[in-house]
Amino acid sequence: MNQSTELQWIDYLIILIYFGFVLGIGFVLRRFIRSSSDFLASGRSIPAWVAGLAFLSANLGAQEVIGMAASGAKYGIATSHFYWLGAIPAMVFVGIFMMPFYYGSKARSVPDYLSLRFDEKTRGFNAITFALMTIMSSGISMYAMALLIQTLHIFDSAIRALGLPQTWVFHASIIVSAVIVLGYIFLGGLTSAIYNEVLQFFLIVAGFLPLVTLGLINVGGWQGLKEKLQPAYLHAWAGLNNPRDNPLGVEWFSLIMGLGFVLSFGYWCTDFLVVQRAMAADSMASARRVPLIAAVPKMLFPFLVILPGLLALALTHPVNAGGAEGGKGASPAASVEATNPVSLIPPETNPETGQIVKDDKGQPVLNYNMVIPNMLLRYFPSGMLGIGLTALLASFMSGMAGNVTAFNTVWTYDIYQSYIRREADDRHYLRMAQFATVFGVLASVAVAYFVAAFNNIMDVLQLVFAFVNAPLFATFLLGMFWKRATGHGAFFGLLSGTLAAALHHGLTLSEGAVPGVKGGWIVVVHTYESQMAQNFWTAIYAWVVCFFVTIIVSLFTQPRPDEELRGLVYSLTEKDTSARGPWYTRPVPLGIGVLILTLILNIIFF
Amino acid sequence: MGIDLRYPIGLLFVIFGLLLVFYGLFSGTAAYSRSLGIDVNLWWGLIMLVFGGLMFFAAYRKRSK
């Protein structure tokens, strides 16, 4: 840490009040939980704006917030592609075209839709991989939080005051977060998680808006920021003709198809973690509005979460200090410390030796993930610091809670009720859902300690899950818009898409990477300019293979009769006309408006 | 289902706003060298207070309708 920061009583008080509130919401909501549907689907009663903000926040875990600022410092304004290209179009699509099937089919989860539309094996494959993934993400989120708290030394004095050794900072972070998350979900179920996600949304804005404002004042406004950064960091699209001309190291085709289509639609349209929020809405009209309402703040969030990265870069490594050239891989590390005594982007240190990590050119590797925490500590006095840390803790915890609520639903409905105990009264399933919540949190704790001990195994597992996810959207697209698609087609399409992803990853590598978990573990036949380009192409191959295998297998297998597919496929479903009222409350005009605004943002920051 | 979410949001922001405003009023200027000499606790506390109040007001108005 560059400056020793001891929290004052006011900071502790703010954090404690927040914890109290979170649990208090759970206690208040407890008396509304009477059935498994109340607990797992909020009894389908959430107003559109609440579900919309939760839809956004469920994705806005602290790793996302910290990671976006880190990418902002690493890649510049081009990071906004992850929002404007990699989220908004998919959010509009799921709201306008897909929610009618998710909500209207009375499916209780995304895997449940797959079983209604296709068959049990497709649902089983999706449900089991998804359940494993949520537990893992929740555990990783927990680990990341504990590690960050340990690194920042912010709660050291509290641990000392309790008479515990320093190493307990890590354990205490895990225990406290687990108890709180478990507490409020166990009491209030999905509603509790959704309410706290909305609270987190407002806290993030309350914590980050003044941070960005202070940073901008310090750097001399927007003009000052532009002068202190290289031109390559100030454009989203310029230089995308050649991967070597832009900081991302990708070209426009793989960016649009890989990020903008396959990965983005795969996440926003099929990941039950976010879709669950929209499915909890109080009506079909609300459910369709949920992703569109979420898209409005989403398109503005780059100014809150990516801009801090740019500010940190401009403040610590201004371009006139020399050292860095434009384009991909230009590391501003050379001028570290020389220009500014307070480094907002510190070099990475080896946790065992304490030595600074250097790259193959002998330059220090920067730890971009410290941008947000360091900015908070740099600009916020006691008081505001409490708000900023609360915002960060809130996103860590709702990141966990989002995964746990998605897990307990998929476990209860798609695994337990489908394969273990089919006929039981609803009370039994409610108890099972509560038990699954306890199990989910305990398993997350286990994962957190597992990650701490075996980082490498975790990387491999995450990679496997990325392979499973990549082709998913092809399955849903065909399932919803082509009534001829069959269960066998979907299942074998998914399998071969996953296999294609693994194969592509095993045959390619990015520049400077060693074969292994980064790719090339079969044999290297192609080398990409960056790991990002490799990831995008892996996704594109997986999607294309899944798409065509599904079509081919479907054509050779028996289709389901039309009557069985009513409400599940576009051509056999009545158009939803339930939204009446002014144009800005109807999905299609709202969606078009969102897309136009996003286009304008892209033009401004071209 | 449940409660109007604007009440807890409003309450939390009013409490946080009040805490920040009072802390900002009594903490002295020395504490604000980090925030470029701006008493961000006072100013941002006021904004949070107003926002919390508006949330409360909106929820209250809907109920009395």
Side-chain angles (χ1 to χ4, degrees), chain A residues 297-352:
Chain A
K298 182 81 183 173
M299 85 179 119
L300 299 174
F301 254 69
F303 298 104
L304 284 186
V305 297
I306 297 174
L307 199 50
L310 286 162
L311 290 168
L313 186 66
L315 287 163
T316 38
H317 312 291
V319 70
N320 51 11
E325 300 112 50
K328 182 229 148 207
S331 162
S335 57
V336 193
E337 313 294 337
T339 50
N340 195 322
V342 182
S343 182
L344 293 167
I345 316 173
E348 214 160 303
T349 50
N350 185 321
E352 275 150 36

Side-chain angles (χ1 to χ4, degrees), chain A residues 255-507:
Chain A
L255 184 78
I256 292 175
M257 291 312 288
L259 175 67
F261 182 64
V262 178
L263 290 173
S264 156
F265 281 68
Y267 178 78
W268 293 100
C269 303
T270 74
D271 196 305
F272 184 52
L273 173 62
V274 285
V275 175
Q276 184 178 31
R277 272 75 197 147
M279 287 169 77
D282 56 14
S283 67
M284 170 71 93
S286 292
R288 295 183 70 196
R289 267 206 308 269
V290 165
L292 303 169
I293 291 173
V296 177
K298 182 81 183 173
M299 85 179 119
L300 299 174
F301 254 69
F303 298 104
L304 284 186
V305 297
I306 297 174
L307 199 50
L310 286 162
L311 290 168
L313 186 66
L315 287 163
T316 38
H317 312 291
V319 70
N320 51 11
E325 300 112 50
K328 182 229 148 207
S331 162
S335 57
V336 193
E337 313 294 337
T339 50
N340 195 322
V342 182
S343 182
L344 293 167
I345 316 173
E348 214 160 303
T349 50
N350 185 321
E352 275 150 36
T353 59
Q355 300 266 311
I356 289 177
V357 181
K358 301 213 165 142
D359 64 11
D360 47 4
K361 294 187 198 81
Q363 293 196 344
V365 176
L366 295 182
N367 187 357
Y368 290 101
N369 283 332
M370 293 306 289
V371 164
I372 284 283
N374 278 355
M375 290 274 282
L376 290 175
L377 296 174
R378 163 77 182 77
Y379 285 110
F380 280 171
S382 299
M384 268 317 292
L385 187 57
I387 302 283
L389 290 174
T390 302
L392 217 49
L393 291 177
S395 5
F396 270 120
M397 291 198 306
S398 61
M400 275 176 247
N403 280 297
V404 172
T405 49
F407 167 80
N408 62 17
T409 308
V410 167
W411 166 261
T412 306
Y413 287 149
D414 293 300
I415 299 176
Y416 185 75
Q417 191 176 22
S418 302
Y419 305 118
I420 297 170
R421 191 162 166 193
R422 205 167 267 281
E423 302 290 337
D425 60 42
D426 189 66
R427 292 192 64 80
H428 178 79
Y429 294 119
L430 173 60
R431 271 201 305 279
M432 176 45 68
Q434 289 168 327
F435 167 78
T437 308
V438 178
F439 173 80
V441 173
L442 289 180
S444 309
V445 174
V447 169
Y449 278 101
F450 184 77
V451 187
F454 309 99
N455 250 310
N456 301 335
I457 301 178
M458 227 56 210
D459 289 345
V460 175
L461 281 176
Q462 260 178 317
L463 200 60
V464 171
F465 287 133
F467 298 159
V468 174
N469 275 341
L472 262 181
F473 184 64
T475 308
F476 281 85
L477 193 67
L478 289 169
M480 286 182 175
F481 298 97
W482 191 47
K483 66 176 185 180
R484 186 68 182 75
T486 68
H488 291 305
F491 182 73
F492 290 105
L494 274 181
L495 273 191
S496 49
T498 302
L499 221 60
L503 204 63
H504 178 265
H505 187 263
L507 293 173

Side-chain angles (χ1 to χ4, degrees), chain A residues 10 13-14 17 21 32 42 45 191 195 198-199 202 206 209-210 214 377-384 387, chain B residues 1-3 5-6 8-9 11-13 15-16 19-20 23 31-32 34-36 38 40-41 44 48 51 55:
Chain A
I10 179 99
L13 183 63
I14 287 171
I17 289 175
F21 243 81
F32 298 103
S42 300
S45 66
T191 316
Y195 278 22
V198 177
L199 211 55
F202 287 109
L209 197 55
L214 287 172
L377 296 174
R378 163 77 182 77
Y379 285 110
F380 280 171
S382 299
M384 268 317 292
I387 302 283
Chain B
M1 167 168 136
I3 42 171
L5 181 54
R6 284 172 293 195
I9 294 174
L11 186 61
L12 187 69
F13 273 70
I15 294 175
F16 280 177
L19 276 173
L20 286 183
Y23 194 79
Y32 298 105
R34 280 188 202 180
S35 50
L36 317 170
I38 301 166
V40 5
N41 285 337
W44 196 250
M48 286 178 77
F51 175 78
M55 275 287 184

Side-chain angles (χ1 to χ4, degrees), chain A residues 211-290:
Chain A
L211 184 72
V212 170
T213 313
L214 287 172
L216 266 178
I217 295 174
N218 196 9
V219 83
W222 186 253
Q223 202 54 41
L225 179 69
K226 270 163 62 176
E227 282 160 12
K228 291 184 182 65
L229 290 175
Q230 300 165 31
Y233 285 86
L234 290 164
H235 294 283
W237 289 98
L240 276 172
N241 272 328
N242 187 327
R244 300 194 185 282
D245 293 342
N246 65 79
L248 295 173
V250 297
E251 94 295 357
W252 62 269
F253 180 81
S254 70
L255 184 78
I256 292 175
M257 291 312 288
L259 175 67
F261 182 64
V262 178
L263 290 173
S264 156
F265 281 68
Y267 178 78
W268 293 100
C269 303
T270 74
D271 196 305
F272 184 52
L273 173 62
V274 285
V275 175
Q276 184 178 31
R277 272 75 197 147
M279 287 169 77
D282 56 14
S283 67
M284 170 71 93
S286 292
R288 295 183 70 196
R289 267 206 308 269
V290 165

